[in-house]
Amino acid sequence: MRSKLFVPASRPELFAKALASAADALSFDLEDSVAPERKHDARNTLRDWLRTPGPAHADKQLIVRVNPLDTAYFGDDIDAVVQNGVALINLPKPERADDVLAAAERIEQAERANGVTTPVRLLLNIESPQALRRAAELATAHPRVAGLQLGLGDLFEPLGVARRETAAISQAMFALRMAAGEAGVFAYDSAFANIKDEAGFRAEAQLAKAMGFLGKSCIHPSQIALANDVFRPSDEEIAHAVRVVDAARTAARDGVGAYVVDGKMIDVPFVERARALVSNARRMGLLRDEQPVS
């Protein structure tokens, strides 16, 4: 999921265009981009579209950002959009483990009511100092949690921290990445509001990649290619990962625990990362299926 394109649920004319885009995932928004007086219609329009054949057979992940748990909209959002084909519910502003448990319970109820056969998982938006401090606790509150996502605007603005303050961005990203690592879930990067600043978007995406984030949110189609390019593994990275996985197979056969590949000491964490990279490369069509990698 190198790129995740933000799509306002109140703009159904954009749905098909988004589905045809190069984004790995689409995030349909029922929260901030939809005015209160339009939330009912936007929710129902998105529900009806999700039930059509197009999204049901999409080759990309479908995500819906619902309204927060403490709003009057949350329950109806979940009941409407938990449909077959939806991979993740993006939950804004969870603060306590009980928030995650309540969201998971409502999703389970909606799955039963709507005949959903594949469990819908949770992507938690971390948007406050308390949530960032408790991020690992939130991520381990329920098995439905698949990932943590930074909301830097919501996190920084009440504190008076500049959104482009590099030191603050780095520290928040590192804290979230450590929490995601502790919980065994993926970390996903925040949106970048200035759609004309390609250099700024790329720099932030490169920092996210260096920290092990899965990909970056895109608020405009022009950002998709940038995210895909940054998070695409290079030919050199793929080739190294293949050699690591091959060496791991040989080492396991010979009973060797640590060894050197391309001048680097390799042990279990490096092998796990290499296997994940090889798997992603295959999914993207960057590695031939017949290549002998375990």
Side-chain angles (χ1 to χ4, degrees):
M1 195 165 68
R2 300 164 298 171
S3 54
K4 176 168 64 63
L5 178 63
F6 174 88
V7 186
S10 56
R11 300 283 306 278
E13 71 275 13
L14 300 179
F15 292 179
K17 293 180 181 178
L19 200 62
S21 74
D24 288 346
L26 304 179
S27 183
F28 297 93
D29 182 49
L30 289 168
E31 193 202 9
D32 289 344
S33 70
V34 182
E37 63 272 16
R38 299 194 64 189
K39 286 187 184 292
H40 176 80
D41 289 343
R43 176 195 302 131
N44 291 342
T45 298
L46 179 58
R47 176 201 62 201
D48 293 345
W49 183 78
L50 288 169
R51 290 174 172 172
T52 63
H57 298 94
D59 62 349
K60 53 187 83 240
Q61 287 202 66
L62 302 183
I63 303 165
V64 180
R65 183 171 76 168
V66 297
N67 286 281
L69 191 71
D70 62 356
T71 67
Y73 310 110
F74 171 80
D76 290 339
D77 286 352
I78 295 293
D79 294 346
V81 304
V82 171
Q83 302 287 340
N84 284 308
V86 173
L88 293 163
I89 292 296
N90 185 199
L91 180 66
K93 302 174 176 65
E95 295 289 327
R96 299 171 299 277
D98 285 349
D99 295 340
V100 179
L101 293 173
E105 182 178 359
R106 189 64 180 242
I107 290 171
E108 184 177 355
Q109 293 170 0
E111 287 173 345
R112 290 197 298 266
N114 296 340
V116 174
T117 55
T118 301
V120 177
R121 305 192 71 189
L122 279 163
L123 172 60
L124 307 181
N125 270 17
I126 303 303
E127 302 175 84
S128 73
Q130 176 175 278
L132 185 58
R133 177 169 53 84
R134 295 178 171 175
E137 176 188 343
L138 296 174
T140 55
H142 196 278
R144 284 188 187 269
V145 179
L148 299 173
Q149 176 175 279
L150 268 176
L152 287 177
D154 288 274
L155 178 62
F156 286 174
E157 188 63 28
L159 305 175
V161 178
R163 171 59 181 82
R164 299 294 297 276
E165 173 55 46
T166 304
I169 292 169
S170 298
Q171 290 186 47
M173 290 175 67
F174 184 74
L176 187 95
R177 185 66 188 93
M178 292 299 100
E182 179 181 342
V185 301
F186 69 79
Y188 208 83
D189 196 16
S190 184
F192 189 85
N194 189 344
I195 61 175
K196 294 183 178 180
D197 185 2
E198 293 187 0
F201 181 96
R202 181 178 290 275
E204 207 165 271
Q206 288 171 334
L207 176 61
K209 181 182 179 182
M211 288 194 184
F213 280 61
L214 192 62
K216 187 163 182 63
S217 302
C218 303
I219 62 168
H220 190 272
S222 64
Q223 296 177 332
I224 296 172
L226 296 171
N228 285 350
D229 181 55
V230 170
F231 286 95
R232 176 200 185 279
S234 68
D235 294 342
E236 292 78 10
E237 288 172 327
I238 295 171
H240 175 72
V242 168
R243 289 192 289 272
V244 168
V245 174
D246 285 344
R249 184 176 59 247
T250 301
R253 183 194 65 202
D254 297 341
V256 176
Y259 41 92
V260 174
V261 177
D262 297 339
K264 300 176 182 178
M265 180 64 71
I266 302 297
D267 56 12
V268 172
F270 292 94
V271 176
E272 291 176 350
R273 182 173 181 181
R275 285 177 175 150
L277 193 152
V278 167
S279 177
N280 286 336
R282 287 202 192 284
R283 179 179 55 81
M284 296 176 200
L286 304 175
L287 189 62
R288 298 190 309 275
D289 287 339
E290 65 271 15
Q291 189 157 345
V293 178
S294 60

